[in-house]
Amino acid sequence: MDHSGHGTTMDLPPFTLARALGYSPDLFFLIGCLLALGLYGWGVLRLRRRGDSWPAGRTVAFGLGVLTVALVMCTGLNDYGMVMFSVHMVQHMVISMVSPILLLLGAPVTLALRALPVAGGGRTGPRELLLALLHSRYVRVVTHPAFTIPLFIASLYGLYFTPLFDFLMGSRPGHIAMMVHFLAVGLVFFWPIMGVDPGPHRPGYVMRMLELFAGMPFHAFFGIALMMASEPMVDAYRTPPASLGIDALADQNAAGGIAWAFSEIPSVLVLVALVYQWYRSEQRQARRSDRAADRNGDKELAAYNAYLASLQARGR
């Protein structure tokens, strides 16, 4: 099966890390990654040229997010992922859980809103279209937990345990669509929870943590189901090529272990990011309170001191 136009996956030699990390690009994702880096870099340079700052940490996070997509889609991992369930699961977990977290920490929407020029004169430009999208009913629906959590779960059970997965794996466009879907699901799931960009749903930090952990048990159960199965459950990986020298059931068990592990690791990363964001929010609130106190001469403290003085006077 030729999924990327640069060779066949049927005669792959046994899996090794060196072979898996060799350059083997999927043209769609290669162009997408380069375009994402180019547009982000343009936005940062535009801000700097007019004297505005942009946090270096956000640039690093976004760059790493794009590189993780390239890692699983523009290397031999993409070739082996067509014939090895375990390697495919690495692709799925990275592009749906690691890449979205890093991309969202890069705040690309905020960068675009700051870098794009205002059309003016009642016209509609790219910035105005982006703002309209952010305030649209569509975005309110697709970022609501009542939508994102079921979608996150359905992307596992509704895909792998139905004929849809085999159908998508049967063609290059289907495989690309599946991977784009994984990335999109991860973005809409994690955006309301820990994204830096503005969005229609921004619950308190405790609620965000609850949203995060609401979907993780289903993710773990999915991995356990693959690990505990007594026969291959996905037709696309039922008969791996003899050249790989692997057993289909053992490979499926490994895929389940990878899925189970990834239900824990990204959760910890997001939890750390949430706690840090919470801390930064409290720090900003404290600074605002201090500035307000400086402006009004700390009237609350003065009133409290007057109250204490009145009590002391009564006691005399």
Side-chain angles (χ1 to χ4, degrees):
M1 182 184 299
D2 184 359
H3 71 92
S4 59
H6 59 78
T8 178
T9 60
M10 296 305 294
D11 299 322
L12 288 173
F15 179 91
T16 64
L17 188 59
R19 289 167 180 159
L21 296 181
Y23 181 63
S24 182
D26 181 288
L27 190 60
F28 176 87
F29 282 95
L30 178 62
I31 293 174
C33 289
L34 293 175
L35 187 61
L37 289 175
L39 289 174
Y40 195 94
W42 171 85
V44 174
L45 287 175
R46 183 174 173 85
L47 290 185
R48 298 242 172 119
R49 283 173 179 169
R50 72 184 188 205
D52 293 338
S53 62
W54 182 255
R58 291 182 181 179
T59 303
V60 171
F62 188 85
L64 289 175
V66 174
L67 288 177
T68 58
V69 174
L71 176 67
V72 297
M73 297 307 303
C74 296
T75 65
L77 286 172
N78 198 31
D79 298 322
Y80 281 99
M82 297 297 293
V83 291
M84 293 181 64
F85 200 1
S86 57
V87 178
H88 167 83
M89 194 57 65
V90 171
Q91 288 182 280
H92 179 174
M93 296 299 105
V94 170
I95 207 170
S96 68
M97 301 189 74
V98 177
S99 303
I101 292 171
L102 293 169
L103 292 173
L104 289 168
L105 289 175
V109 176
T110 300
L111 176 62
L113 290 174
R114 291 183 59 186
L116 289 171
V118 178
R123 293 174 299 170
T124 300
R127 188 178 187 276
E128 288 71 25
L129 290 174
L130 180 57
L131 281 172
L133 178 63
L134 289 174
H135 292 95
S136 67
R137 180 178 299 179
Y138 170 77
V139 170
R140 287 199 300 271
V141 171
V142 300
T143 59
H144 194 281
F147 180 85
T148 60
I149 295 174
L151 178 65
F152 188 73
I153 297 169
S155 292
L156 293 172
Y157 296 90
L159 181 65
Y160 287 98
F161 297 157
T162 68
L164 180 59
F165 181 81
D166 293 321
F167 172 76
L168 293 174
M169 288 291 289
S171 67
R172 179 175 179 267
H175 185 246
I176 290 174
M178 178 168 54
M179 290 300 173
V180 171
H181 169 77
F182 290 152
L183 179 61
V185 169
L187 288 170
V188 298
F189 178 76
F190 288 111
W191 180 15
I193 295 174
M194 44 69 64
V196 181
D197 290 320
H201 298 289
R202 275 295 182 268
Y205 286 95
V206 174
M207 283 302 299
R208 295 189 200 184
M209 293 178 188
L210 292 176
E211 288 178 24
L212 170 65
F213 291 111
M216 291 304 111
F218 296 94
H219 208 281
F221 294 153
F222 169 76
I224 293 172
L226 293 179
M227 294 170 66
M228 299 293 290
S230 57
E231 63 178 6
M233 301 176 67
V234 179
D235 288 341
Y237 297 109
R238 189 177 292 273
T239 54
S243 62
L244 293 175
I246 61 173
D247 175 71
L249 184 58
D251 187 52
Q252 177 178 279
N253 293 340
I258 291 166
W260 176 81
F262 267 90
S263 68
E264 306 296 332
I265 298 172
S267 299
V268 173
L269 295 176
V270 174
L271 190 60
V272 170
L274 273 176
V275 171
Y276 178 72
Q277 289 176 2
W278 196 351
Y279 168 77
R280 290 288 302 272
S281 176
E282 292 295 320
Q283 291 291 100
R284 288 193 296 268
Q285 182 62 39
R287 287 195 294 269
R288 283 195 292 266
S289 298
D290 290 341
R291 287 195 295 268
D294 292 339
R295 286 194 301 268
N296 61 25
D298 210 343
K299 294 179 181 178
E300 292 182 2
L301 180 60
Y304 182 67
N305 288 335
Y307 171 70
L308 292 179
S310 66
L311 291 179
Q312 186 176 10
R314 291 176 192 173
R316 288 178 180 174

